[in-house]
């Protein structure tokens, strides 16, 4: 009902004929946060079966939402965004990084449900999976000594991002968008430089990467502590000043420009050569 109402509203106020919708964002993360952490209500870690049940319920809602939207926008496109992990095959990864060592590969559950490969009773169909959105942050890999995420793309000997992007594109035969990525502090420039290189590697191997969304553009406070600012934006917010004026982080802006130049469309000839 919500998707239908929103689509009707958009139809009345927008000339778009082919808008892109994301009915529910990061179902896998929501299911993990509810069932395996104390981040969201009911603040209790439940069994893995409960997490799968919640995934199915939310995927079912997405599928029904896609159906309702297509009744109003027949040409609508759907972008379904999920977080990805760099999987480390190591038993000494901290236990709270459970997603990095989970022997059950659940990375594809939600996308598989939406396109009908998994739990076909939900009514999933490939036509509902137009674009695969990948959310990717430093917390997707873990450093044993510090117990923190690392900006390094070779951390823990994990699978590189390029291999993951290639795997996803080949699995679903749809364009892939890095729908959410970014870093904080001095490592932001290294993150963007490495990210661009990994995307180029994936493109040269034939993966269709059709966009990258840098988040955030402007500094933001911590989700749980509004007095702590992460210094993760292109623009620093001087939050101690009542005017909240902003200044551009030059090194981060330079790394973004380098990435944009590096990620100019790869020619077909280069792709064929690399694929061979």
């Amino acid at each position: 009902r919500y998707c239908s109402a929103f689509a009707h509203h958009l139809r009345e106020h927008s000339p778009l004929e082919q808008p892109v919708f994301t009915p529910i964002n990061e179902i896998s993360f929501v299911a993990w946060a509810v069932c395996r952490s104390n981040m969201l209500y009911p603040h209790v870690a439940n069994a893995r079966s409960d997490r799968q049940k919640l995934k199915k319920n939310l995927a079912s809602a997405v599928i029904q939402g896609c159906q309702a939207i297509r009744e109003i926008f027949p040409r609508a496109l759907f972008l379904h965004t999920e977080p990805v992990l760099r999987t480390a095959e190591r038993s000494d990864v901290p236990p709270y990084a459970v997603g990095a060592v989970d022997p059950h590969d659940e990375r594809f559950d939600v996308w598989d449900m939406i396109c009908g490969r998994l739990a076909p009773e939900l009514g999933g169909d490939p036509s509902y999976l137009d674009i695969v959105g990948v959310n990717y942050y430093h917390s997707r890999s873990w450093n044993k000594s510090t117990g923190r995420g690392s900006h390094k793309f070779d951390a823990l000997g994990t699978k590189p991002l390029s291999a993951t992007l290639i795997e996803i594109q080949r699995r679903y035969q749809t364009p892939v968008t890095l729908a959410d990525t970014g870093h904080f502090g001095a490592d932001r420039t290294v993150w963007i430089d490495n990210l661009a290189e990994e995307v180029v590697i994936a493109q040269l191997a034939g993966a269709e990467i059709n966009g990258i969304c840098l988040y955030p553009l402007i500094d933001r406070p911590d989700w749980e502590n509004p007095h702590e600012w992460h210094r993760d934006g292109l623009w620093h917010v001087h939050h101690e000043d009542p005017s909240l004026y902003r200044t551009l982080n030059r090194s981060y802006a330079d790394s973004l420009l380098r990435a944009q130049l590096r990620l100019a469309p790869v020619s077909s000839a280069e792709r064929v050569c690399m694929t061979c």
Side-chain angles (χ1 to χ4, degrees), residues 5-198:
F6 178 80
H8 274 296
H9 181 80
L10 187 64
R11 170 63 76 188
E12 293 175 2
H13 297 281
S14 171
L16 292 173
E17 290 297 328
Q18 195 173 40
V20 180
F21 294 87
T22 300
I24 299 179
N25 187 52
E26 286 200 327
I27 289 176
S28 295
F29 175 78
V30 172
W32 172 83
V34 170
C35 299
R36 297 288 290 271
S37 81
N38 62 354
M39 295 176 64
L40 297 176
Y41 182 84
H43 305 295
V44 62
N46 297 318
R48 177 177 177 270
S49 60
D50 293 331
R51 182 161 52 127
Q52 291 300 100
K53 181 179 179 180
L54 181 55
K55 280 185 187 179
K56 290 182 67 174
N57 286 345
L58 294 176
S60 176
V62 164
I63 292 165
Q64 294 176 61
C66 291
Q67 294 167 348
I69 290 169
R70 282 263 169 85
E71 290 179 2
I72 300 162
F73 285 99
R75 298 178 58 219
L77 299 177
F78 298 106
L79 164 67
H80 301 287
T81 301
E82 294 293 320
V84 295
L85 295 167
R86 286 181 283 169
T87 305
E89 300 298 335
R90 287 173 49 165
S91 59
D92 54 355
V93 176
Y96 46 80
V98 63
V101 293
D102 194 334
H104 304 282
D105 189 350
E106 300 176 357
R107 294 174 301 157
F108 305 120
D109 281 0
V110 173
W111 292 319
D112 281 356
M113 290 176 188
I114 291 171
C115 73
R117 292 187 181 187
L118 184 64
E121 69 275 9
L122 301 180
D125 189 90
S127 65
Y128 299 144
L129 190 64
D130 296 300
I131 307 168
V132 172
V134 170
N135 286 0
Y136 184 67
Y137 286 95
H138 73 287
S139 55
R140 301 313 178 202
S141 66
W142 296 83
N143 181 290
K144 177 189 175 185
S145 60
T146 64
R148 298 175 58 189
S150 171
H151 70 270
K152 297 180 180 179
F153 279 78
D154 60 351
L156 299 180
T158 55
K159 180 186 293 186
L161 175 62
S162 55
T164 298
L165 295 175
I166 293 167
E167 182 181 14
I168 291 172
Q169 204 277 332
R170 289 176 177 173
R171 182 181 182 92
Y172 298 107
Q173 295 296 303
T174 63
V176 177
T177 293
L178 271 167
D180 223 354
T181 190
H183 205 45
F184 56 88
D187 289 336
R188 281 174 290 182
T189 58
V190 178
W191 180 263
I192 293 298
D193 288 340
N194 285 345
L195 184 83
E197 186 60 31
E198 289 294 310

